[in-house]
Amino acid sequence: MTEAADWLSAFPLQPAAEAVEALCQGWSELANRPLPDFNPKTKEPALTKRLKVYVENVVARERGLLGMWAAEDIIGDIDPATGAMIEERRTDIVYGWNDETQAMQLVFEFKRLGRQKKHRDHYLRDQGLGRFVNGIYSRKQAVAAMVGVLLDPEPDIVPHIRDALGDAALATLLRLKPTATGEPYARPSSLFTAADFDTDHEREPALAPSHGSIRVSHFFFAFGYPTTTVKRKL
C-alpha cells in the first residue's frame, strides 16, 4: 500500500463527504433564486455566515449530521510568555467531527470569482489557496476545501484556474505535488463527487499531518440565475 493510500484509508471520508453534500445542498437551495440578502452582490463574509446558519439549522438536521459547524472561526497562535496573539485568522466555514478513534476539522475557504485575472490570483495565491500551504489554515489536517463563488459563467473561470496551476512559478509557490502522471491537479476529485479537482501540497512539519502534505478539493458554486450585472469586486 502506498503512503497516499495509507493516509486516505485512515481519513474519515464518510463524515467529510456528508458535510460536503450538506453544504452543496444548502448552497443550491439558497442560491436558486435571487434573495435580498443572499445574491451575487452580497459580500463574501455575509454569504458564508448565512450559508453556515442555513446548513446547520436546516440541512444538517434533516440529514442527521452530528458534527459542529462554525463560521468566522478564530484560529491562530499565542505567545505563552506574554499572552499576546502572534497570528490570527478567521476561517469562512469549518465542520468539526470526531468519534472514539478519529477527528477532523474540514475548512471551507470561499472566494468570489469573476473572469478577471485578479480574481484568479486572489483564489490561488496567499489570500486563498496559499493559506492551506504556507498559512495556518487546517493545521495538521489532511484535507481542506476551496470554494469559488462564480460571478461569471463557469467556462470563463474554472478552466483558467486549472491552466494556471501548470505555471512552474506558481507550482513552486504552492508547493504542488504532481500526480502520478505529472499533472498539477487530479480531475476528477478522489475525495468528493461535487469537487471539480484536487491539489496536493507539501507543508512544513509544524503545519502538516503525519504524511507531510494536505489535499485540497476545489468546488465552484454558481447562482441559479444570470449574474451578468454583478460588479466584480473581490
Side-chain angles (χ1 to χ4, degrees):
M1 183 179 291
T2 66
E3 180 184 11
D6 283 340
W7 80 257
L8 189 55
S9 65
F11 179 73
L13 184 56
Q14 181 176 342
E18 290 171 348
V20 165
E21 290 166 5
L23 197 76
C24 291
Q25 178 184 334
W27 176 270
S28 178
E29 292 175 1
L30 285 176
N32 67 349
R33 66 195 187 284
L35 299 177
D37 296 306
F38 195 96
N39 60 67
K41 294 183 180 180
T42 307
K43 293 182 178 180
E44 179 190 299
L47 283 174
T48 56
K49 288 178 185 178
R50 288 159 173 77
L51 177 59
K52 175 265 178 184
V53 170
Y54 182 77
V55 170
E56 183 177 39
N57 290 353
V58 179
V59 182
R61 289 183 180 180
E62 290 175 352
R63 290 174 169 261
L65 301 188
L66 300 178
M68 182 196 73
W69 296 89
E72 295 287 302
D73 187 43
I74 297 174
I75 58 174
D77 282 314
I78 191 168
D79 184 347
T82 66
M85 290 294 291
I86 301 170
E87 185 174 3
E88 180 179 339
R89 293 287 186 271
R90 295 175 183 266
T91 56
D92 287 335
I93 295 178
V94 59
Y95 179 72
W97 175 93
N98 69 278
D99 64 10
E100 295 82 0
T101 61
Q102 297 172 302
M104 71 167 181
Q105 288 187 326
L106 182 58
V107 172
F108 298 87
E109 171 70 1
F110 283 68
K111 295 296 175 191
R112 296 167 84 249
L113 280 175
R115 58 168 58 93
Q116 299 95 324
K117 183 179 182 299
K118 67 178 181 179
H119 283 239
R120 185 162 63 249
D121 288 344
H122 194 61
Y123 179 93
L124 289 172
R125 294 181 178 273
D126 290 346
Q127 298 303 308
L129 182 56
R131 289 176 169 172
F132 294 112
V133 183
N134 303 308
I136 60 175
Y137 277 32
S138 294
R139 183 166 19 201
K140 299 294 186 180
Q141 298 296 310
V143 173
M146 286 290 298
V147 183
V149 175
L150 301 180
L151 306 178
D152 284 311
E154 185 273 345
D156 294 343
I157 301 173
V158 180
H160 297 296
I161 288 177
R162 294 196 297 262
D163 290 346
L165 291 167
D167 177 77
L170 182 61
T172 298
L173 178 69
L174 293 174
R175 304 181 67 173
L176 275 174
K177 292 180 62 179
T179 67
T181 58
E183 298 297 322
Y185 57 85
R187 188 171 188 249
S189 167
S190 64
L191 298 173
F192 308 113
T193 57
D196 189 273
F197 62 90
D198 295 337
T199 51
D200 280 9
H201 309 263
E202 298 282 0
R203 299 195 84 179
E204 295 296 331
L207 299 170
S210 58
H211 61 279
S213 62
I214 186 170
R215 180 164 297 176
V216 181
S217 291
H218 298 254
F219 301 82
F220 299 96
F221 287 179
F223 290 90
Y225 47 89
T227 60
T228 53
T229 59
V230 179
K231 292 183 179 180
R232 307 301 196 250
K233 292 183 179 179
L234 293 174

